[in-house]
Amino acid sequence: MSSENNISLSPSSICHYLTKYSFFGYLACRLMTIVETRALSKTFRSGLIRSSRVEALKAVDLSVTRGEIFGLLGPNGAGKTTFVKILLSIAYPTSGDAQVFGHKLGAIHIRKKSGYLPENHRYPPFLTGLQTLLLFGGLHGLKGPSLMQKARSLLERVGLKDWMNVKIKRYSKGMLQRLGMAQALLNNPELLFLDEPTDGVDPVGRKEIRDVLKDLRAQGATIFLNSHLLSEVELICDRVAILDKGQVLRVGTISDITAPQLEYEIQVVTPLPQRLVDSIGLVAKNVRAEGKLLHVAVPDTRALNQVIDLLRRDGIFIETLTAKRASLEDYFIQVLKSGEAT
Amino acid sequence: MKILSMIIFSVREAILRGTLIFYFAVGNLIILFVALAVNASPDGSSIVVLGNPIPAKSLMGVSPVDFILIQLQRSSASAIMFLGIFAIAGIIPSMLEKGTAELFLSKPLSRTTLFLSRAIGSTVAIGLNILYFAVAIWLIFGVKIGVWHWGFLLSALMVVVAFAFYYSVVALVSLVTRSQALAIMLGFLFWFLAGALESRQAGLYNLWSNDIYRRTLDVIYYVTPQVSGMLQNATRLIGMNPYDRMLGPQAVSDFSIMPFVFSLLSASAIYALASWYFSRQDY
């Protein structure tokens, strides 16, 4: 997958530069940090006689900056849902510490300002879509005509206007997901946790959900997205972390992660002689010639120019030169395979 | 508002359960039957049931009106204690199901509030059914016979309170096991135990003469909600309970507030324990 090279101006990158160059910048950045965890760990124990332990999270350090869309990636069982549950006090950490909105875990204030769409959520089937939103709006302390108006407008926004008075038991999976999205937005959350939000949603619905998320970001909301749909994450996230077996393996902006790795594909007019490929191997790495296509990895642009000089000196005509950009999926698989945290 | 939302939701969930709909339907049939079958005699000295005058002399030591009301109160109380547990034992486990627990626990309510709102909502659903039946019967006797029996209404309130105390045990079990079936089974076990403990002097005491055994029974009796005792007292609010003599010569036959006091303390402790447990669990 290719994309243009651009300068990242995401909240996290601004924060990075502020922290790097001034003390006040550091302070400002602290204020911008909305989620911060330090060595957050969770071990589940089960069984009384032959007790078994599962380490769901191992000393996770993460921070999420105000206004960004942060993606937490990982295979099934990586600990993504546990992480979010701990931030919302649905589960408790075994050790470590975390702050959300500057409050310690467990503070009701955190849940007051957060919205959450859990994975595989189940709503009371005897309620209609509208009644469901009225119930959960009520649990947020909303009431009266303003709640009714909010519920109706959200149902319209997620495309359930015609279904609002239909019992939930008749909803499809995609419709339930849309309802879940509306439920998570009832309190105009400053921080929105979404666990696989596009699961079961058709492509049009996915696009609509992405648009809602982009709107929310434009309004200043922070979005924490758990997903294993990497293409989705790549489209909307500013920063991602890769979690595997409870450990954070990588954190970075999408552009950093998928930046050109100084790998190039050079399309030439005539097949390359082996002698020339060998001499290119002296200045470049991973040299691979496939007919009229040459793959090279170089340490810098100087080395790339040396490769071009060698080709031209041998009278080879170059047709195209393409910088290879790794997709998030390539990177994800590579990181999981190496399994090492950086 | 948050608490009220949760209570209303729980009431709604409970009254939509088939068991309570069945109770409500049967209750209405009984109300209709009583409305049609019970009348005052033309001279107003006695009551007529299905066209047969019931003489004013006492039945099992109580007046005919008291006797009929006691039968209705005992039947409805027993039915609701039995069916009510079927209806609402699943209310707390349904909140704790995967995918639902996350939705409720991520809202800005403390877990104690969440749990107690759920328990209150369930009890209110049962209470509404009990009071609906009692008020209807009370009105029929008042309008048709001219007997406005306040003790009967009070006894219905006492049954509601007894149910709330009884439900504390079921709520704790359902919270810990997250299983409706286990909550129903252990709830009924407790129900039979409470009945046996209430009449322990005429029954369980005679199984073993050991003093430690008897003291143990006494301790269990006082630390658990005295549901049977409360229901007997609820009957005594209507009139002299004709069944007291079945409890043996030492049985108290006057109304006593003590089962209520002990049950209040015991149920409060159980609800507090359940709240404490709930606030420490991962979901």
Side-chain angles (χ1 to χ4, degrees), chain B residues 49-78:
Chain B
V49 178
L50 291 171
N52 301 311
I54 309 279
K57 65 175 185 185
S58 62
L59 292 167
M60 291 177 75
V62 294
S63 73
V65 170
D66 283 0
F67 184 80
I68 293 171
L69 288 178
I70 285 171
Q71 300 313 315
L72 287 171
Q73 184 264 359
R74 285 176 64 92
S75 313
S76 70
S78 303

Side-chain angles (χ1 to χ4, degrees), chain B residues 25-97:
Chain B
V26 172
N28 275 322
L29 286 177
I30 294 172
I31 290 166
L32 190 65
F33 175 77
V34 172
L36 295 172
V38 177
N39 287 294
S41 62
D43 60 359
S45 60
S46 60
I47 62 168
V48 178
V49 178
L50 291 171
N52 301 311
I54 309 279
K57 65 175 185 185
S58 62
L59 292 167
M60 291 177 75
V62 294
S63 73
V65 170
D66 283 0
F67 184 80
I68 293 171
L69 288 178
I70 285 171
Q71 300 313 315
L72 287 171
Q73 184 264 359
R74 285 176 64 92
S75 313
S76 70
S78 303
I80 201 70
M81 290 285 165
F82 181 76
L83 295 177
I85 289 306
F86 267 107
I88 64 170
I91 293 277
I92 287 171
S94 78
M95 179 182 74
L96 303 177
E97 279 174 13

Side-chain angles (χ1 to χ4, degrees), chain A residues 42 89-90 92 131 183, chain B residues 12 97 107 111 279 282:
Chain A
K42 176 69 185 174
S89 302
I90 296 168
Y92 300 108
Q131 287 168 341
Q183 174 273 136
Chain B
R12 196 176 205 164
E97 279 174 13
K107 298 294 171 280
R111 291 199 182 184
S279 63
D282 291 324

